[in-house]
Structure formats: C-alpha cells, structure tokens
Amino acid sequence: MQEEKQEFQFYVEQIKRAGAFSMDTDHFHDTYEIYYLLAGERNYYINNLVYALRQGDLIFINRNELHRTMAKGTVRHERILINFRQEFLQGMPGGMELAFPFFSEQCLLLRPDVHEQGRIENILFAMLKEQQEQCTQQFPYLQSLLVQMLIQMNRIRESARAAIAPANNEKQRKVYDIIEYLQTHYHETVKLEELSERFYLSIPYLCRLFKQTTGFTIVEYLNSIRVQEAQRRLREGSDSVTRIAEDTGFDSIAHFGRVFKGIAKRSPLQYRKQNR
C-alpha cells in the first residue's frame, strides 16, 4: 500500500482503528504530510520529541522528517492523513504563487479551536469525496482544496495561540538525552552495554523505555538516522556508496544496502540517480 501511494502526487485517506495500534516501520519520506486526529488520543514522535495529541490536533510534517505515532490512553482513534509532493502545488490555475513559512520548518503543530476544526474537517471530507468519485478536472479541484487547507493552517498558526507542548516528564527527558547521544554518535559503533552504563539503566529497561516513548527500538532509530544522513550525502555529494556506508556507521556495504533498501524502498545507487 505504501509503495502504491508513492506513485501519487497527492493522496488522502481516513482510517478508524478500534484496537491498539502503533506504527511498526521506520517512517520518513520525501512527501509532505498532514495528520489530523478526528477522534481519540495518540502519542506522536517527531523531531526528537514526543507530543500527546487529542481530538482536533493537526500536524504538518516536512519532507524526510522521522516520525511515528503510538497508542495513548483509549486505544480507539480515527485520523485523516494527507501526503503530497512538492510538484502537486506547481502549475496552479491562474499562475498563483504560494509560499507558506512552515514549508521551511521541520514541522508545525496546531491545536485548532472548535470552529477551526469544523472548517478543517469540511475541507478534509471534501478531499476524500473528490478522490473517491474520480470526477473530471479532479487534479485542479484537489489542488484548490489543498491550498484552502494550507491557508487555513497558516491562519491558525498566525493567531499566535499556545503551541502543542512536548511531553516532558522524567522518563521522557531521559529518552531525549539518549536520542541526543545517538544523533551525535550514530556514525560510531553503538552498543547497548555502553548505553546502559552511560545512562545508568539496565539493558531491558533501557530498551523498553526507548520503545515505549518513541515507538522505535534503538536499532530502528539508529538505522533511520543513519539512512537519513546517507540520503543527504547521496543527494548532495559525490562520495562513493562504500565511503558513505562507512561514514554513517554501517559495518559492511552489504548491511548498508539491505538497511537502506528496507527504509528507502530502493538501492543507494537508485536513490542517487533519482535525486540528482
């Protein structure tokens, strides 16, 4: 399903879940994402912090930002998710040029009031209906709906109400310290025994705490940030794949290739060719 979505410049979906659910795959991509929580509660890991979301909260995630949702409180929840590529907003009718400040930021977290929620949901349900019905001139109509959504988001942002604050209890602060260490030392060999000693936690508790807080295992997290850095160097530089694998902490080119393809859905060379 995820690979099919990548063929689209724009995709919107609504999902309702009655049981416990946490994303179980490494998750970052080269599309923009808008996540709107219609009902329930979720924990959302993004940009090295965890946010407790409630009904009506909205998040805009920039391209190639590592993120993951996790269960919180009541397991029932319902959300609407939009993924779109930068090209989707090009060639707007009338040659309209659009610029939104949050496109150059890592993410945008909004807590709309009840009236704003109503306007957002009207746009989202119109998108879902239009995508399902496959009417003529669907592309420009969906473009116009997305623009309405982005304008509404920017207006809420400019209203300067308090932003959604990250979770910040003692356990989460400990995990934030571990994340900071991993981001600094991802290019080195990282062993659980060393992390256990450094942060004064037993290995089982360390692994459980990290997973419960971020949704990632420590290995998943390390692999994700290593692949993100490898992607950046493949896009922007000319170093060999072997050199990039060594510099990003992989113990062999074969291991690098397997992990990279598992996350990026293509080989390092294919990724470089498609993004140069």
Side-chain angles (χ1 to χ4, degrees):
M1 185 69 169
Q2 184 65 29
E3 293 181 1
E4 292 175 3
K5 292 178 193 175
Q6 293 299 320
E7 300 301 319
F8 291 82
Q9 288 191 19
F10 175 91
Y11 193 90
V12 57
E13 67 174 7
Q14 177 182 6
I15 289 183
K16 180 187 296 185
R17 292 190 170 96
F21 172 80
S22 294
M23 292 170 60
D24 59 1
T25 58
D26 303 304
H27 199 69
F28 60 91
H29 39 69
D30 58 2
T31 56
Y32 298 104
E33 182 168 304
I34 299 171
Y35 179 102
Y36 182 75
L37 190 59
L38 272 170
E41 298 177 302
R42 299 292 283 167
N43 277 334
Y44 208 112
Y45 168 87
I46 182 171
N47 193 25
N48 306 328
L49 296 171
V50 176
Y51 297 88
L53 302 188
R54 65 192 191 200
Q55 180 178 340
D57 286 351
L58 182 148
I59 294 183
F60 173 85
I61 303 158
N62 218 317
R63 295 174 296 176
N64 299 312
E65 285 294 321
L66 187 63
H67 57 282
R68 178 172 286 191
T69 62
M70 298 159 285
K72 179 185 184 298
T74 56
V75 295
R76 293 177 180 271
H77 75 281
E78 184 176 2
R79 56 85 166 153
I80 295 178
L81 189 73
I82 299 170
N83 280 110
F84 65 97
R85 296 186 179 279
Q86 191 170 22
E87 309 91 83
F88 187 71
L89 290 176
Q90 296 173 352
M92 291 292 296
M96 180 169 48
E97 294 292 333
L98 295 167
F100 297 100
F102 49 84
F103 273 61
S104 59
E105 300 167 358
Q106 290 179 315
C107 65
L108 175 68
L109 301 104
L110 300 174
R111 182 155 282 165
D113 64 29
V114 64
H115 301 293
E116 293 162 341
Q117 289 176 28
R119 289 191 284 272
I120 286 170
E121 290 175 18
N122 286 340
I123 297 170
L124 290 170
F125 286 118
M127 288 177 174
L128 288 163
K129 184 174 184 292
E130 180 67 17
Q131 180 174 267
Q132 183 179 11
E133 292 184 349
Q134 297 290 320
C135 298
T136 59
Q137 298 181 311
Q138 182 187 70
F139 191 96
Y141 189 71
L142 285 170
Q143 275 186 322
S144 69
L145 289 171
L146 180 58
V147 170
Q148 291 178 56
M149 170 65 73
L150 295 171
I151 291 172
Q152 183 65 35
M153 288 162 53
N154 201 46
R155 288 176 177 175
I156 298 170
R157 174 183 176 273
E158 289 176 342
S159 67
R161 287 193 302 276
I164 303 173
N168 195 34
N169 61 36
E170 183 178 351
K171 291 181 179 179
Q172 282 148 344
R173 287 195 295 273
K174 176 69 75 172
V175 171
Y176 296 157
D177 289 341
I178 297 168
I179 287 171
E180 183 178 1
Y181 179 86
L182 295 176
Q183 288 201 316
T184 304
H185 297 273
Y186 69 87
H187 56 285
E188 305 170 7
T189 299
V190 177
K191 296 182 179 180
L192 289 177
E193 293 82 1
E194 294 172 355
L195 289 176
S196 173
E197 292 178 8
R198 174 175 289 274
F199 294 101
Y200 305 102
L201 301 171
S202 70
I203 291 177
Y205 184 71
L206 168 72
C207 294
R208 185 168 64 253
L209 178 64
F210 195 89
K211 174 73 171 178
Q212 288 175 346
T213 302
T214 68
F216 295 91
T217 67
I218 291 173
V219 171
E220 286 175 335
Y221 184 84
L222 267 175
N223 284 339
S224 293
I225 59 176
R226 285 168 171 168
V227 168
Q228 280 185 304
E229 175 61 13
Q231 286 180 323
R232 185 191 67 78
R233 291 182 57 174
L234 288 165
R235 290 193 307 268
E236 301 174 5
S238 57
D239 288 336
S240 69
V241 171
T242 300
R243 176 62 183 273
I244 292 172
E246 292 173 353
D247 290 350
T248 52
F250 289 95
D251 55 11
S252 72
I253 187 67
H255 183 213
F256 173 60
R258 286 195 304 272
V259 172
F260 189 98
K261 191 168 186 178
I263 293 175
K265 310 307 179 189
R266 67 206 83 174
S267 72
L269 288 176
Q270 288 172 329
Y271 181 87
R272 169 170 272 171
K273 183 177 180 180
Q274 293 169 1
N275 290 274
R276 295 298 289 268

